[in-house]
Amino acid sequence: LLHRKADVAGAIEALEAACSRPPPKASLLHALGRLHYRVGSFARSIRAFDKAIEIEPGRGETLYLRGLAQFHAGRTRDAIESFERAAELDPANVITCYHLAMAHARAGNLRKSIRCLDRVAALGSEAAVAHYQLGVAHYALGEMGEAALHFTRSIEMDPADERSRRMFEMVGTRLDRTRPRERGSPVGRVLRPLRANLVAKVALVTVAAFVVAGGGLGAWLVRSAEDDD
């Protein structure tokens, strides 16, 4: 009731008192951890979640929330472990998988992050965001063909996504400098169908305007098509 009235400090005090009385209850510790997380007390949040998980190791939501608290506290490796355990309990949970991908990315495990994001994209509900993050990961790895493909898909799913548009333009700038000239090159094999896909989607005014405006990737596509002829 205190929590519903937004008296978070009072709710925390009441839960602390309740949790101090034996026997400890995982549900109360979970609620306490959530409130500490809400006010940014990540260390206290983690301690409450730890105690709840000791009592009920199979609480997937508690594992996930502990992972979030650990992530925000800078404990990335611990966050990965928590998210992985939560994902094992609920493999179809898109949000858990997405945050596991973000934790892997922060830890520099870009290939693992990509595998998680592929699952998020396949599950559907957060596909546009997943394709944006996939583009970022491939861009960081220097894989411009894959990056362009995922930014394109993100723009198609969410034409208002300015982040994907900016990254798409950055990919185009890098491709302008290092264009694949060999038909059989791996990047070339990715980019040829991508060019065809963009042409087929030109009726989408927002995408078309972005590609055409200012040259960038649009100019590279035209020059590359001429090179292929």
Side-chain angles (χ1 to χ4, degrees):
L1 180 60
L2 288 169
H3 179 29
R4 291 186 186 135
K5 290 181 178 178
D7 182 5
V8 178
I12 288 174
E13 184 179 350
L15 280 171
E16 291 278 13
C19 290
S20 67
R21 293 191 292 268
K25 294 182 179 180
S27 59
L28 292 178
L29 288 162
H30 174 91
L32 179 61
R34 288 187 62 180
L35 287 180
H36 278 308
Y37 177 84
R38 178 176 170 182
V39 298
S41 298
F42 300 125
R44 291 181 179 180
S45 176
I46 292 166
R47 283 197 295 272
F49 289 139
D50 282 344
K51 292 177 181 178
I53 292 165
E54 285 178 9
I55 299 168
E56 293 184 21
R59 289 182 67 94
E61 184 183 2
T62 306
L63 285 163
Y64 164 71
L65 290 173
R66 183 177 71 173
L68 282 182
Q70 290 166 332
F71 185 86
H72 288 294
R75 294 169 52 179
T76 306
R77 292 182 182 277
D78 292 334
I80 289 172
E81 182 182 352
S82 293
F83 290 141
E84 285 179 340
R85 288 177 60 186
E88 287 173 3
L89 293 169
D90 186 5
N93 191 307
V94 176
I95 302 302
T96 298
C97 193
Y98 176 81
H99 282 101
L100 176 57
M102 295 300 95
H104 275 309
R106 178 192 276 181
N109 307 325
L110 292 180
R111 293 296 178 195
K112 290 182 179 180
S113 180
I114 286 170
R115 286 197 292 272
C116 293
L117 289 167
D118 281 336
R119 286 174 54 199
V120 174
L123 289 169
S125 63
E126 301 294 329
V129 175
H131 281 298
Y132 167 76
Q133 295 292 354
L134 279 164
V136 171
H138 284 294
Y139 184 89
L141 289 167
E143 298 167 351
M144 295 299 105
E146 290 84 350
L149 178 63
H150 286 293
F151 290 134
T152 300
R153 287 179 178 170
S154 179
I155 293 167
E156 290 170 355
M157 293 176 179
D158 183 8
D161 184 2
E162 292 297 328
R163 298 182 307 170
S164 290
R165 292 175 181 275
R166 288 194 296 270
M167 291 300 298
F168 192 35
E169 189 170 7
M170 289 172 64
V171 170
T173 300
R174 288 189 62 172
L175 289 174
D176 280 338
R177 297 170 183 166
T178 56
R179 297 186 286 152
R181 295 185 177 275
E182 297 181 8
R183 286 180 173 272
S185 71
V187 177
R189 286 197 297 271
V190 172
L191 289 175
R192 278 195 296 277
L194 173 59
R195 292 200 298 271
N197 179 58
L198 283 175
V199 172
K201 302 279 185 185
V202 73
L204 290 172
V205 176
T206 53
V207 176
F210 172 72
V211 173
V212 173
L217 181 57
W220 180 84
L221 293 173
V222 172
R223 292 199 302 273
S224 294
E226 292 171 350
D227 288 346
D228 286 343
D229 292 337

